[in-house]
Amino acid sequence: NAGVTQTPKFQVLKTGQSMTLQCAQDMNHNSMYWYRQDPGMGLRLIYYSASEGTTDKGEVPNGYNVSRLNKREFSLRLESAAPSQTSVYFCASSEHLTNTGELFFGEGSRLTVL
Amino acid sequence: QKEVEQNSGPLSVPEGAIASLNCTYSDRGSQSFFWYRQYSGKSPELIMSIYSNGDKEDGRFTAQLNKASQYVSLLIRDSQPSDSATYLCAPARQGGADGLTFGKGTHLIIQP
């Protein structure tokens, strides 16, 4: 059982390049999330999708776009990467989040922007 | 703006002692409270949840909640080196699916 799968796990970009982080979950969860984690800043929500067909901004959405491709997949796109977007990105999914509190995280994608 | 405050540490505790991790939150609408553990280089995992004032025990872990003081804590008894990790606090409102707001986490080190 794979859970939440993120690709790629590591990526190095030059400033101005674009890329898409892919995320897929096999738990039939309705809600999916993208977080970034920086030293000293904790986990911050970028975008989320409460259900298939909807997306909403989180705390730090600037410079990112998302697509909920179907119930399983939720991608994060950087159109023009900046050094400030160097971070570890986590995708997560959940069902009944506020009841269970359980976010299922992927292993993370470590992105470096030069 | 939801704010969740934790002492970043590192908090150093001898093996076998009690580790006490604290968290305060600003959103008075928070009804559910969660503790996540994150090992270095790994993703966070849920270890405790608490919904009512008072204490909730699960093995060596005890979560404590005081909604009036907007304070939640996690106690780890008989601390083991394997408990060395960063602990993240996350309060949540009922009924939403808009993600969890995490504190910055407390880095706990258990000294053998």
Side-chain angles (χ1 to χ4, degrees):
Chain A
N1 194 354
V4 178
T5 303
Q6 293 181 232
T7 56
K9 289 186 169 48
F10 300 92
Q11 183 72 49
V12 178
L13 292 177
K14 295 180 180 178
T15 297
Q17 288 184 319
S18 62
M19 77 159 299
T20 299
L21 298 176
Q22 307 285 354
C23 176
Q25 52 94 7
D26 62 4
M27 295 172 284
N28 201 36
H29 287 166
N30 278 308
S31 303
M32 297 186 73
Y33 308 85
W34 277 105
Y35 284 88
R36 62 178 288 176
Q37 187 170 38
D38 305 291
M41 297 299 294
L43 280 160
R44 293 182 291 170
L45 183 64
I46 305 171
Y47 270 93
Y48 67 97
S49 172
S51 60
E52 186 179 358
T54 70
T55 60
D56 286 284
K57 295 177 181 179
E59 180 185 356
V60 288
N62 291 344
Y64 304 95
N65 286 301
V66 291
S67 296
R68 185 73 183 266
L69 304 170
N70 47 56
K71 191 172 185 179
R72 291 187 63 248
E73 298 173 288
F74 188 38
S75 63
L76 178 72
R77 182 161 178 83
L78 288 71
E79 291 290 352
S80 179
S84 61
Q85 294 178 304
T86 294
S87 188
V88 180
Y89 292 85
F90 287 100
C91 178
S93 70
S94 77
E95 195 69 26
H96 309 301
L97 177 63
T98 54
N99 292 330
T100 67
E102 189 148 25
L103 282 168
F104 293 83
F105 286 90
E107 294 183 339
S109 298
R110 187 175 297 274
L111 175 65
T112 301
V113 182
L114 302 175
Chain B
Q1 180 84 15
K2 303 174 187 176
E3 293 185 358
V4 183
E5 299 290 337
Q6 294 182 256
N7 188 327
S8 62
L11 174 64
S12 186
V13 173
E15 183 176 358
I18 296 175
S20 178
L21 308 166
N22 304 317
C23 172
T24 60
Y25 60 94
S26 65
D27 184 1
R28 287 194 171 274
S30 299
Q31 297 293 320
S32 309
F33 303 85
F34 309 105
W35 283 97
Y36 279 72
R37 178 177 62 200
Q38 185 175 24
Y39 291 114
S40 180
K42 302 295 186 182
S43 54
E45 58 178 338
L46 179 68
I47 57 170
M48 283 289 286
S49 58
I50 186 166
Y51 306 96
S52 304
N53 281 331
D55 295 359
K56 178 183 177 184
E57 188 173 317
D58 184 0
R60 296 186 296 110
F61 296 93
T62 299
Q64 299 176 316
L65 174 60
N66 183 326
K67 291 183 180 179
S69 299
Q70 296 176 255
Y71 176 89
V72 58
S73 64
L74 179 70
L75 302 178
I76 306 174
R77 291 183 302 280
D78 188 24
S79 297
Q80 303 296 311
S82 59
D83 295 324
S84 297
T86 297
Y87 290 81
L88 305 166
C89 170
R93 287 178 168 243
Q94 284 294 327
D98 56 350
L100 295 178
T101 298
F102 289 89
K104 294 178 182 179
T106 297
H107 183 203
L108 176 65
I109 299 172
I110 305 301
Q111 296 178 321

